[in-house]
Amino acid sequence: MRQLVLDMIDTKSDLEELCNRALDSAPESVSPDLRNDSSLGVPAWYDFESAAWAAGEQVRQAFSQHRTWKKDAALRDRVLEVAVHRQLRRGRQAWIMALGFVDARDLAPALAPHLSDPDVEGQVVDTLTKMRAGGFSQQVWPLTSHKQAWIRKLARRYLKRYAATA
């Protein structure tokens, strides 16, 4: 498999190439969980998940460095395509977080169904909050009793802000 991350993302074409590489690295179907990592009690990560996560982190940083790219709907849609590609499993986390800005709010309806995906549920609620995307309180509510405290906290924060807009 060719290297997924790029040395630098200087152009929109570079970002699109990174999206292509991430999608190309995905297996044909959703891979089963690996055995638990003994220190954390969570399944270990596949190599493709780690590579996709690193690429998504590059995308997040590129949006921070090139703020005008946040207004490019086609670019946001391309990043969303990777962010919702279930075969990438937890590698999608950084891609979802990369969309955590107000200009990407129009993508919230495409992210909300992933609130029930254990691979990315916490990242989705955090991103919806950063997008200022109200209207998903019913889908976020079950996360207020999540086993992981950080996800419960994010869900409660979302509901505190947006429960009235449900």
Side-chain angles (χ1 to χ4, degrees):
M1 174 171 65
R2 66 181 171 166
Q3 181 179 346
L4 190 54
V5 296
L6 299 174
D7 291 333
M8 297 184 78
I9 300 177
D10 291 325
T11 66
K12 291 179 184 181
S13 295
D14 291 341
L15 198 147
E16 290 172 4
E17 173 62 20
L18 198 57
C19 291
N20 291 336
R21 288 183 183 193
L23 291 169
D24 289 346
S25 75
E28 300 236 352
S29 61
V30 176
S31 304
D33 284 348
L34 294 173
R35 56 185 197 124
N36 284 352
D37 179 316
S38 61
S39 65
L40 302 174
V42 297
W45 283 44
Y46 286 98
D47 289 341
F48 71 84
E49 289 178 291
S50 298
W53 189 93
E57 180 58 20
Q58 274 195 303
V59 171
R60 189 190 64 75
Q61 291 175 14
F63 275 133
S64 292
Q65 292 171 344
H66 306 280
R67 294 183 186 270
T68 59
W69 293 3
K70 292 180 178 183
K71 300 217 181 275
D72 186 325
L75 204 56
R76 293 191 316 262
D77 287 345
R78 191 73 173 124
V79 171
L80 175 69
E81 185 178 348
V82 179
V84 299
H85 195 74
R86 286 190 185 270
Q87 287 87 329
L88 289 172
R89 299 215 38 181
R90 292 166 291 182
R92 298 175 293 143
Q93 292 173 353
W95 292 85
I96 289 169
M97 297 293 287
L99 294 170
F101 51 89
V102 175
D103 286 326
R105 185 181 324 165
D106 62 314
L107 304 177
L111 288 176
H114 299 273
L115 285 164
S116 61
D117 181 341
D119 288 336
V120 295
E121 60 201 353
Q123 288 76 19
V124 173
V125 72
D126 188 43
T127 297
L128 291 174
T129 303
K130 289 176 180 174
M131 288 175 162
R132 298 183 187 163
F136 302 99
S137 296
Q138 187 174 7
Q139 295 98 314
V140 170
W141 176 255
L143 297 177
T144 62
S145 59
H146 197 277
K147 65 182 177 180
Q148 294 182 343
W150 70 273
I151 294 176
R152 286 193 309 266
K153 181 179 175 182
L154 289 170
R156 290 176 184 145
R157 180 183 303 148
Y158 180 91
L159 291 173
K160 184 176 179 182
R161 291 183 187 175
Y162 301 110
T165 64

